[in-house]
Amino acid sequence: MLKSLNINPAKCTGCLQCEMACSYEHTGAFNPSRSYIKVFTFHYEGRFVPYTCTQCEEAWCQRACPVDAISLDATTGAKVVSDDKCVGCKVCTIACPFGTINYSHVTGKVVKCDLCGGDPECAKACPTEAITYVDADWTGYDRMAAMAAKSLPAAEAASAS
Amino acid sequence: MSWTRKILRVNLTEGTCTPEDLNMEWANDYLGQRGLATKYLVEEVDPKVDPLSPENKMIMATGPLTGTMAATAGRYSVITKGPLTGAIACSNSGGFIGNEFKNAGWDMIIFEGKSEKPVYLWINDDEAELRDASELWGKSSWETDDLLRQWHQDPQIRVACIGRTAEQGCLYACIINDKHRAAGRSGVGTVMASKNLKAVAVRGTKGVGQNIKDMKRFFEAVNDGKKVLADNAVTGQGLPTYGTQVLMNVINGVGGLPVQNMKNAGFEGAEKISGEAMHEPRPSDGKPNLTTNAACFGCTIACGRISTVDKGHFTVQNKPEYWGASGGLEYEAAWALGADTCVDDLDALTYVNFLCNEDGFDPISFGCTVAAAMELFEQGVLTTEQTDGIELRFGDAKAFVAAAEALVAGTDFGKDLALGSKRLCEKYGRPELSMTVKGQEFPAYDPRGIQGIGLNYATSNRGACHLRGYTIASEVLGIPFKTEQTATEGKPELVKAFQDATSLVDSSGLCLFTTFAWGMENIAPQIDAACDGDWSVDRCLEVGERIWNMERLFNEAAGFTADDDKLPKRMLEEPIKGGPTDGQVNRLGEMLPKYYELRGWTPDGKVSEETKQRLSL
């Protein structure tokens, strides 16, 4: 079963545990500035939105890369950057419509979410289940269930799962 | 270890920024943040110094766990000699700037001297320099934060700054970070303003924790701690849902909610300004006051309140700058702004809370000062001549809001309010109406109805304060065990234990609110796994006790004596009328001698030579 990160901004409190977990996994230090998942704070709306790569099936970054440095991890579906091949040209950062692949001046390469090899640290660190790792075919399941529940009378909705 | 081992010394007179090695001997004795910065202050500043003179110093300090994945580990503190009290001041803040200091590679920043012109400190990892802030002077903390992000073209920098009230000399001005978190009490912002330092802007990208002593054990201790927080009813449910405002109805219910400048306990309007009320859709616009809860850095509790005021409410009509969501009411603020002034208009209190954040003033001290002014007004001591024409009566939301706007605008009446309750009441010849200890206003628990907290207020090193020894946990909530709230027996022991443990927590980088669920047995293993040396529960408590006594010695040298360990006459002689605590006064005299004895102090409250030796002071 292919799994995806499933992000529910309504549950996010903006604590940045995900950024610390991600940066620790990839750099060995708690360093939000080097996290591959970012939480955006919309102060005047009172909203926090975690955002990272969705691992496109046909990935713009992968197609744009002139040196084939981005490959598919067949087990997880993640598009993974090979540091050995990446020349830091940043063309992928232009190609990506979502801004989720970025250049790092520290390594001189581009960096992006690699799903931690199938066990994403951000999802494990999230205290509110704003980030979960679920069946890729069913990332909308929670919202569907919530909408379905709305169509029920109150008493029945309470027992639905 | 988890210290960066680097401190930054900023001499504002000379305009220099100089890195120094952290004194690791002191770090071993005082851990970090509150304890360690106080040690530096004690060593470097004459306790008799005028708090607003260039000779006073101000230290911004992180703890060894700040910036790590430990739950709530984003705290920093500001330590200085406080202008409101003349005592040691230490104000703790969350938000996101503590971890940014640490990520930039600094354990603490020591500010000394006074700049000739307004400046701000810019820190970009190892680089640190003072820059011109003349364009920022006169701006609110919100504008300052926005402008600095624009100037540096970096939305990710973090800013701690003062607002206009600090510039105007308000004696309880805060340092605001991240727009709505505050190093709030004792006037630390006033000290910052006295140095012509408008802001500190930081960008840190170096990472934290590379030198944690035992990473495997650290993660075990941290994850165990997170589970305890999640499973606990207060930290897992009560605080995220209602914030600290979960307390409003609880404390009112046990007869512990002071009202009307602490004349009595029990507020009729408590429910209307409670955490529960913040969830209720307003009849006016169908939306609740509470927009969402929010976390500080690394916090798995997320007690923060983000609120929105109804656009049609009298406070914000035609003021779209206040229509967005921002930092909402916490319990202490809701009490001081609301119950103590008898104002039960939730949106009015929220708007004034916005002003507190926008212009950096302590809602506890401000609310209590207005409450005192209201009592002076109702007694005819103050008239509309002194109040800018405001009919300053208890319960009048419009008058209350006008008073807040007067403070920000710096009108004549605003200048009176900026003095704080003690100086205001003295100025008008009624010192007994000031509800303060050592010049600092009370927080939200009545020491007549809850005895131990009274002893804590009286002996708190920074003046009346709930955060120095939160015995409410035991006396009302039963954490870690229940004690009878109106009893004095056992309270000296309780107060000492809470004060010492709190000193340690405030020195670690963790948030005190974890202690609703955590004991030292949860905290010590996290410190021990991160820091060099053996940090057992016993050592942590000893360090806490050492810190408390060091602060006490600073105050002693500043001129404080046992005479200052007292409560206002009202707390000792005017009994509560009605409700569950009917007839109660605080019986401080029954507790204080025993407290001194337990502390190893002389009967007149001095730290004894034996105690100094025992604690290596």
Side-chain angles (χ1 to χ4, degrees):
Chain A
M1 177 180 71
L2 198 65
K3 293 173 89 174
S4 283
L5 285 173
N6 187 28
I7 291 174
N8 182 347
K11 290 184 176 176
C12 178
T13 62
C15 75
L16 309 192
Q17 283 280 347
C18 56
E19 294 192 8
M20 280 191 281
C22 175
S23 56
Y24 182 74
E25 172 70 15
H26 295 101
T27 74
F30 308 119
N31 190 349
S33 73
R34 292 185 67 190
S35 172
Y36 306 160
I37 185 164
K38 296 299 291 178
V39 178
F40 293 92
T41 298
F42 298 89
H43 182 81
Y44 296 108
E45 285 77 35
R47 294 298 296 271
F48 308 98
V49 184
Y51 205 77
T52 191
C53 174
T54 57
Q55 318 295 349
C56 306
E57 195 64 37
E58 291 187 37
W60 277 267
C61 60
Q62 191 178 11
R63 291 200 169 192
C65 180
V67 293
D68 288 335
I70 300 171
S71 59
L72 168 74
D73 178 330
T75 323
T76 63
K79 306 299 176 296
V80 181
V81 179
S82 161
D83 274 2
D84 290 342
K85 291 183 183 167
C86 176
V87 296
C89 74
K90 314 179 194 66
V91 169
C92 56
T93 69
I94 300 166
C96 173
F98 309 105
T100 51
I101 185 163
N102 288 286
Y103 177 72
S104 164
H105 76 277
V106 180
T107 58
K109 315 282 178 187
V110 293
V111 292
K112 71 179 287 299
C113 171
D114 59 4
L115 295 175
C116 299
D119 190 16
E121 294 295 329
C122 56
K124 285 193 284 182
C126 180
T128 61
E129 297 184 331
I131 307 166
T132 49
Y133 192 51
V134 301
D135 183 343
D137 290 5
W138 285 102
T139 52
Y141 183 86
D142 285 349
R143 259 170 294 158
M144 268 171 87
M147 294 306 285
K150 274 192 181 174
S151 66
L152 286 177
E156 292 168 51
S159 64
S161 61
Chain B
M1 68 245 148
S2 193
W3 301 275
T4 69
R5 294 182 171 229
K6 284 280 176 204
I7 65 176
L8 181 65
R9 187 176 294 275
V10 179
N11 187 312
L12 291 150
T13 310
E14 305 290 331
T16 54
C17 300
T18 318
E20 281 178 21
D21 290 335
L22 182 71
N23 184 324
M24 286 309 296
E25 202 183 311
W26 291 352
N28 283 321
D29 284 345
Y30 297 94
L31 189 58
Q33 206 178 344
R34 172 174 166 185
L36 187 54
T38 305
K39 175 65 178 169
Y40 271 86
L41 193 84
V42 163
E43 294 290 334
E44 297 188 12
V45 171
D46 175 0
K48 294 206 182 298
V49 78
D50 170 0
L52 299 179
S53 70
E55 287 72 38
N56 192 12
K57 298 190 185 187
M58 181 186 87
I59 305 178
M60 292 182 167
T62 65
L65 297 186
T66 303
T68 71
M69 257 178 100
T72 77
R75 313 294 300 188
Y76 95 108
S77 291
V78 181
I79 291 87
T80 187
K81 181 175 172 177
L84 188 67
T85 56
I88 190 89
C90 169
S91 295
N92 181 309
S93 182
F96 296 83
I97 199 164
N99 55 294
E100 205 71 23
F101 285 139
K102 201 73 176 283
N103 266 285
W106 305 104
D107 284 321
M108 66 169 81
I109 306 163
I110 301 177
F111 295 94
E112 51 194 31
K114 176 184 178 175
S115 172
E116 218 170 284
K117 289 180 184 161
V119 288
Y120 74 95
L121 175 67
W122 165 238
I123 298 176
N124 185 10
D125 287 342
D126 294 328
E127 293 167 36
E129 63 178 23
L130 291 166
R131 294 190 175 187
D132 179 39
S134 20
E135 280 182 55
L136 296 174
W137 207 257
K139 298 267 193 295
S140 75
S141 76
W142 291 357
E143 293 167 313
T144 302
D145 193 298
D146 287 340
L147 278 170
L148 283 167
R149 283 163 200 264
Q150 280 171 28
W151 291 357
H152 289 277
Q153 296 187 324
D154 185 350
Q156 302 200 67
I157 65 170
R158 304 290 184 183
V159 174
C161 63
I162 52 169
R164 287 170 292 207
T165 54
E167 295 174 13
Q168 291 159 7
C170 172
L171 288 171
Y172 45 88
C174 320
I175 299 171
I176 300 287
N177 60 282
D178 302 285
K179 289 193 172 166
H180 62 105
R181 307 306 312 182
R185 300 224 68 192
S186 313
V188 294
T190 322
V191 173
M192 185 159 162
S194 76
K195 300 192 170 306
N196 266 330
L197 178 66
K198 178 67 181 181
V200 180
V202 201
R203 185 76 170 104
T205 67
K206 297 168 84 168
V208 170
Q210 296 93 331
N211 51 9
I212 276 175
K213 184 175 71 184
D214 183 338
M215 194 51 100
K216 183 167 173 291
R217 209 150 55 75
F218 182 69
F219 271 117
E220 282 167 11
V222 161
N223 290 336
D224 286 351
K226 285 177 180 169
K227 187 164 186 326
V228 172
L229 293 177
D231 292 345
N232 180 279
V234 177
T235 51
Q237 293 156 33
L239 285 174
T241 309
Y242 297 112
T244 51
Q245 273 273 64
V246 69
L247 289 164
M248 184 63 73
N249 288 323
V250 174
I251 302 298
N252 196 42
V254 299
L257 190 76
V259 67
Q260 207 177 351
N261 196 31
M262 305 194 79
K263 198 169 175 56
N264 204 4
F267 181 42
E268 273 180 22
E271 221 171 301
K272 291 169 74 177
I273 61 168
S274 67
E276 288 83 348
M278 290 169 74
H279 278 269
E280 291 294 318
R282 289 179 286 244
S284 49
D285 67 350
K287 291 179 188 154
N289 174 280
L290 183 75
T291 306
T292 185
N293 67 325
C296 295
F297 180 83
C299 179
T300 58
I301 304 172
C303 75
R305 303 290 91 184
I306 302 294
S307 285
T308 316
V309 175
D310 176 7
K311 293 181 179 67
H313 191 265
F314 79 88
T315 50
V316 300
Q317 272 170 8
N318 307 316
K319 293 185 202 163
E321 64 270 33
Y322 300 106
W323 290 355
S326 198
L329 291 166
E330 321 238 346
Y331 169 63
E332 307 297 330
W335 166 77
L337 302 175
D340 206 31
T341 63
C342 305
V343 173
D344 63 5
D345 179 333
L346 186 61
D347 272 5
L349 304 184
T350 305
Y351 167 71
V352 172
N353 200 67
F354 285 0
L355 296 186
C356 288
N357 292 329
E358 183 185 21
D359 267 302
F361 55 103
D362 172 11
I364 304 179
S365 285
F366 173 72
C368 293
T369 303
V370 176
M374 284 172 162
E375 188 160 3
L376 289 168
F377 187 89
E378 295 205 342
Q379 295 200 5
V381 180
L382 282 179
T383 68
T384 49
E385 258 178 57
Q386 288 94 24
T387 62
D388 298 348
I390 304 166
E391 291 278 343
L392 198 67
R393 297 194 184 282
F394 282 111
D396 186 330
K398 288 194 170 154
F400 172 66
V401 166
E405 289 173 342
L407 177 78
V408 173
T411 66
D412 286 345
F413 181 49
K415 288 193 184 92
D416 270 356
L417 292 173
L419 296 170
S421 158
K422 176 170 177 268
R423 289 169 179 83
L424 177 84
C425 292
E426 281 170 355
K427 178 175 173 181
Y428 290 100
R430 299 295 301 276
E432 76 282 6
L433 293 185
S434 170
M435 297 299 121
T436 49
V437 174
K438 299 181 177 71
Q440 179 158 288
E441 292 77 6
F442 279 97
Y445 313 88
D446 198 309
R448 292 166 294 193
I450 309 168
Q451 293 290 324
I453 199 72
L455 175 63
N456 172 62
Y457 289 160
T459 57
S460 156
N461 288 326
R462 70 166 186 180
C465 173
H466 57 298
L467 294 171
R468 285 297 170 275
Y470 193 72
T471 59
I472 301 304
S474 168
E475 297 182 279
V476 178
L477 306 172
I479 300 167
F481 51 83
K482 181 81 173 80
T483 50
E484 173 52 44
Q485 71 183 67
T486 54
T488 55
E489 298 81 40
K491 295 302 166 66
E493 291 84 350
L494 190 71
V495 168
K496 177 181 181 296
F498 271 75
Q499 288 175 339
D500 291 348
T502 301
S503 302
L504 187 282
V505 176
D506 286 347
S507 302
S508 66
L510 300 172
C511 176
L512 187 59
F513 289 180
T514 57
T515 59
F516 283 115
W518 290 352
M520 203 54 79
E521 68 281 6
N522 303 103
I523 293 168
Q526 301 186 50
I527 299 172
D528 185 57
C531 299
D532 268 358
D534 164 35
W535 289 86
S536 63
V537 167
D538 285 348
R539 179 174 172 197
C540 285
L541 291 174
E542 185 192 286
V543 168
E545 188 180 6
R546 181 179 298 126
I547 294 166
W548 188 268
N549 281 273
M550 169 175 59
E551 292 174 341
R552 177 81 178 184
L553 285 165
F554 181 89
N555 286 351
E556 256 182 41
F560 287 88
T561 67
D563 261 0
D564 300 294
D565 296 338
K566 63 183 180 193
L567 296 172
K569 223 167 115 186
R570 176 168 281 175
M571 297 299 105
L572 305 172
E573 293 178 13
E574 285 181 38
I576 291 173
K577 293 190 190 78
T581 49
D582 183 42
Q584 292 286 334
V585 292
N586 188 272
R587 308 194 296 282
L588 184 62
E590 291 175 17
M591 300 181 282
L592 200 54
K594 174 78 179 168
Y595 171 86
Y596 286 166
E597 190 190 322
L598 282 168
R599 280 246 167 255
W601 297 351
T602 63
D604 58 350
K606 288 212 162 67
V607 181
S608 70
E609 287 307 317
E610 297 79 40
T611 301
K612 281 188 215 169
Q613 274 176 19
R614 178 169 63 81
L615 295 170
S616 319
L617 281 162

